[in-house]
Amino acid sequence: MADIVNTGVLNGNAAFILQVGLKMIGITLLGNVFHRCRVLGIADCGIYSGDMRGDLFKRVQTFSNLNSTNFRPPR
């Protein structure tokens, strides 16, 4: 932004202002694309972990009483 003002506006260089402005817009759009990909990836991980938690709960419910009392989580 400082380059636009110092080089473009003060010297009246419209081509430089346009060039730097387009780069800024391109970087913003690229950041938006990466952000959306990250959000979708996080949502998929949340769905997967919820399914995995449900499967683990169902599996633990099949343990016998003896298995349940001897079951200890790893340290």
Side-chain angles (χ1 to χ4, degrees), residues 37-50:
C37 290
R38 184 183 70 185
V39 167
L40 291 174
I42 290 170
D44 288 343
C45 287
I47 291 170
Y48 176 73
S49 66

Side-chain angles (χ1 to χ4, degrees), residues 7-38:
T7 304
V9 175
L10 292 179
N11 295 332
N13 190 349
F16 181 79
I17 295 171
L18 183 64
Q19 177 187 6
V20 174
L22 289 175
K23 283 181 186 177
M24 290 170 65
I25 290 171
I27 290 170
T28 302
L29 293 175
L30 189 63
N32 192 2
V33 168
F34 285 131
H35 171 71
R36 289 177 188 268
C37 290
R38 184 183 70 185

Side-chain angles (χ1 to χ4, degrees), residues 47-62:
I47 291 170
Y48 176 73
S49 66
D51 292 344
M52 188 169 58
R53 233 183 338 248
D55 292 341
L56 179 64
F57 179 77
K58 289 176 188 173
R59 176 73 174 138
V60 169
Q61 293 301 312
T62 64

